[in-house]
């Protein structure tokens, strides 16, 4: 008997799902809690516990793969941002060293104040 109270009303569920999506947009739906599916026509099929477990495992596997893929893209994006910022930092430091070489009598003293005195990429010309 498909009209058990724990399943929420039987045929009325199928009608509610089909009408909420429209006839053209209806697609198979799994009701995980109550253990049944509704096909594209709104017809109900009860699932065994084994079928539900198999479907849950497959759904979980797909969600885990999507999560891993999203994380991979996120880490790659962060890595590119770090690389870009490091290059920008090098360019700014070179420009600073060039400016200091052109305008300051003791550029090493000013770089020391900025915490850049040991930066190997900065080339200081003696004044």
């Amino acid at each position: 008997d498909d009209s058990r109270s724990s399943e929420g009303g039987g045929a009325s569920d199928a009608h509610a799902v089909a009408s909420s999506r429209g006839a053209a947009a209806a697609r198979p739906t799994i009701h995980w809690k109550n253990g049944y599916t509704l096909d594209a026509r709104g017809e109900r099929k009860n699932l065994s516990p084994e079928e539900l477990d198999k479907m849950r495992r497959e759904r979980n596997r797909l969600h885990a793969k999507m999560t891993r893929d999203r994380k991979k893209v996120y880490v790659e994006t962060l890595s590119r941002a770090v690389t870009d910022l490091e290059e920008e930092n090098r360019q700014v430091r070179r420009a600073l060293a060039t400016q200091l070489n052109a305008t300051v009598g003791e550029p090493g003293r000013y770089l020391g104040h900025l915490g850049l005195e040991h930066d190997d990429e900065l080339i200081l010309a003696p004044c």
Side-chain angles (χ1 to χ4, degrees):
D1 183 39
D2 286 344
S3 62
R4 290 178 286 191
S5 62
S6 66
E7 293 178 357
S12 65
D13 284 345
H15 183 310
V17 171
S19 65
S20 69
R21 292 192 176 151
R27 63 178 193 251
T29 304
I30 301 169
H31 292 261
W32 299 102
K33 182 178 177 183
N34 297 325
Y36 65 90
T37 63
L38 294 175
D39 65 13
R41 296 180 311 255
E43 293 179 11
R44 179 182 174 139
K45 177 190 175 213
N46 288 326
L47 300 170
S48 70
E50 294 80 23
E51 289 174 312
L52 275 173
D53 285 343
K54 182 179 177 184
M55 294 172 91
R56 281 188 181 107
R57 282 192 301 274
E58 179 65 15
R59 180 179 68 163
N60 186 54
R61 187 185 67 77
L62 291 173
H63 281 269
K65 182 183 182 334
M66 288 188 304
T67 300
R68 288 189 302 272
D69 291 345
R70 272 195 313 270
K71 181 180 179 181
K72 182 178 178 184
V73 169
Y74 177 69
V75 168
E76 288 171 355
T77 301
L78 288 178
S79 179
R80 278 193 303 269
V82 166
T83 302
D84 293 346
L85 289 171
E86 286 173 341
E87 178 57 32
E88 182 181 346
N89 222 352
R90 280 190 286 278
Q91 291 173 1
V92 169
R93 286 175 183 226
R94 276 189 232 112
L96 175 62
T98 302
Q99 185 67 29
L100 285 173
N101 282 334
T103 60
V104 177
E106 297 179 50
R109 184 172 142 218
Y110 288 97
L111 289 175
H113 178 70
L114 297 173
L116 303 174
E117 73 274 13
H118 299 294
D119 194 334
D120 295 335
E121 291 190 23
L122 299 179
I123 301 167
L124 299 176
C127 296

